[in-house]
Amino acid sequence: EALSTRLAAADVVRVDARATALVPGLPATVATAQGPVAADLVVGADGLHSLVRDEMGFGARRWSYPQSALATTLSHERPHGDTSIEFHTAHGPFTLVPLPGERSSLVWVDRPQETARRAALAPEALAREIEQRAHHVLGTMHVDGPCGTFALEGLVATRFGRANVVLVGEAGHRFPPIGAQGLNLGLRDVATLAELLTAAREDGTLAGLADAYDRRRRLDVGVRTVGVDMLNRSLLSGFLPVSAVRTLALAAARSVGPLRRTMMRLGVG
């Protein structure tokens, strides 16, 4: 909705139709129900089941977890202080992210059968379970938005760009919703692309942009993917030494100011 509002006020031609095929070239051609669209640069921001990724022949490494997530929005009695709250449980993270006013969004990761059970609850019954899991830190809660579920899986594309086509967001990478790293990674995709486009405008050519984008995103995506995957798997592990290491690391991050600030800077890139 916000993007549509910005587009309406910008000098941008919007083709409100589903893309059905992509033919690489200079320019590339995107086939739609309203006819072909030529483009000097194609940005594939089309999510997990990316047409752009498939049409370009970019492979992807995929894996799954024995988890699913429930997502919804809440209003609550106490102020959140613009602070995210994340509880790490034996079956996955329970994350509250602040919204404007006394509202928060929720992502609750658990076993698939438990996620399905909660999704079928009446809003008030669901709110009571959420309050209990949140240890009542935000007081009385009310579910005030739609409730959806999704399976947890991971994906990393073999390439993030080639010729005059690049991938951003979940078209190129996906992993469990821990620490907002999926969102942050997508934002850094766009920031990197904007930087490269600014340089290309100064140079007067897009040549080499997609290859440069691929090189610059590869390390960042790889490091974040491994880190989040290890943390999520450590939650699922019943092996005591693994749990002890995770607990000590999180305790240090909370109590040691310089370490916490360093982790925050790394988290937002």
Side-chain angles (χ1 to χ4, degrees), residues 90-114:
H91 303 291
F94 173 96
T95 306
L96 292 162
V97 179
L99 295 172
E102 308 306 335
R103 298 180 67 245
S104 295
S105 63
L106 167 72
V107 179
W108 188 349
V109 177
D110 206 331
R111 294 157 294 181
Q113 61 270 28
E114 278 297 294

Side-chain angles (χ1 to χ4, degrees), residues 2 38 43-44 51 77 80 88 90 96 108 115-116 118 126 158 164 179-180 193 225 228 233 238 260:
V43 181
L51 169 76
E77 177 184 11
H80 49 54
H88 288 189
L96 292 162
W108 188 349
T115 298
R118 293 188 185 107
L126 176 60
T158 55
N164 58 340
L193 181 58
T225 300
V228 170
R233 292 186 189 279
R260 181 174 65 253

